[in-house]
Every structure is written in C-alpha cells, then in structure tokens.
Amino acid sequence: MKNVMITFLLVTLILSGCSLSEENNNYTIITGYIIDKEEGRLLVVEGLDESEFDIHEQTVEEILKIADPNATWVSIGDNRENDYSVGEQVKVTIDGGVNTSYPAQASAKHIEVVE
C-alpha cells in the first residue's frame, strides 16, 4: 500500500510539472534582413551586417550562401508580404517550432520593423 501511494504521488508530481512547462511562453526571436518575399512569407537572414551583402547587387542564392545556415522562411499570413520590403531589418517572434530545413521554416507570431 505504501508503494502504491508513493507511485501515485510521483506520477501526480510529474504530470503537474509537465502541465506547468506547457504554459511557459518562451518564443524564439530572430532579427535579420528580408532578402526575398513570396505570397504569405518572408525570407529573413540573420547574423549579417548590411556591409556583408548588397540586396540590389547580389542574388538571393548568393546571399543565402553568405548567411548559411542563418536563413528562415517566415510565414506571415495571407497578403501581408506587401506590408514589408526587401532590405528591411525585422525582429520576428516565432510562433511554435522551427523546421530546420535550409532555409528553415517557421510561423511569425509578431513582426516588428527595426529602424
């Protein structure tokens, strides 16, 4: 009977600990430059300074080689890509996980243009 009570208490503690961690709102934030956009998504590269690439002189593929592996296609919702311009610096709060393909893929919770 004592073993059953100890097991029950341990299971209860473990399950309550899991539910607490699920409510934790930790988001991934990326800051970078938009180098391309398509319907409903933006291609953002991180870790580059404006002096390291020229969006008007280099192709997207050339910039991706420089940025490798720090590029993410960010889904932003229907018809919102026109709210942003290629070359703008943005701070993106990611909603959920990041698919680690190259470029990575993620959904935006919030996007802020960095001035």
Side-chain angles (χ1 to χ4, degrees):
M1 181 68 172
K2 199 176 207 180
N3 287 339
V4 171
M5 287 300 288
I6 291 172
T7 303
F8 177 77
L9 286 173
L10 286 174
V11 168
T12 303
L13 286 172
I14 290 170
L15 290 178
S16 66
C18 290
S19 66
L20 288 175
S21 65
E22 289 175 9
E23 294 175 6
N24 190 355
N25 291 330
N26 290 327
Y27 296 103
T28 301
I29 297 175
I30 62 171
T31 302
Y33 292 92
I34 299 170
I35 64 165
D36 197 10
K37 59 184 188 174
E38 294 179 350
E39 188 174 327
R41 63 187 197 156
L42 306 171
L43 182 54
V44 178
V45 294
E46 303 173 79
L48 294 182
D49 186 274
E50 282 182 290
S51 64
E52 296 179 79
F53 70 97
D54 185 342
I55 195 68
H56 303 291
E57 297 293 324
Q58 293 174 296
T59 66
V60 170
E61 290 77 20
E62 290 171 331
I63 297 170
L64 285 174
K65 285 180 185 177
I66 297 168
D68 190 5
N70 298 318
T72 306
W73 275 111
V74 178
S75 297
I76 58 172
D78 294 336
N79 300 318
R80 290 196 47 224
E81 67 276 358
N82 293 325
D83 296 346
Y84 305 96
S85 300
V86 170
E88 280 186 315
Q89 187 176 24
V90 290
K91 181 178 178 181
V92 181
T93 304
I94 301 299
D95 187 17
V98 176
N99 178 340
T100 58
S101 59
Y102 188 74
Q105 299 176 29
S107 294
K109 179 174 181 64
H110 178 74
I111 301 175
E112 175 185 337
V113 176
V114 177
E115 307 259 341

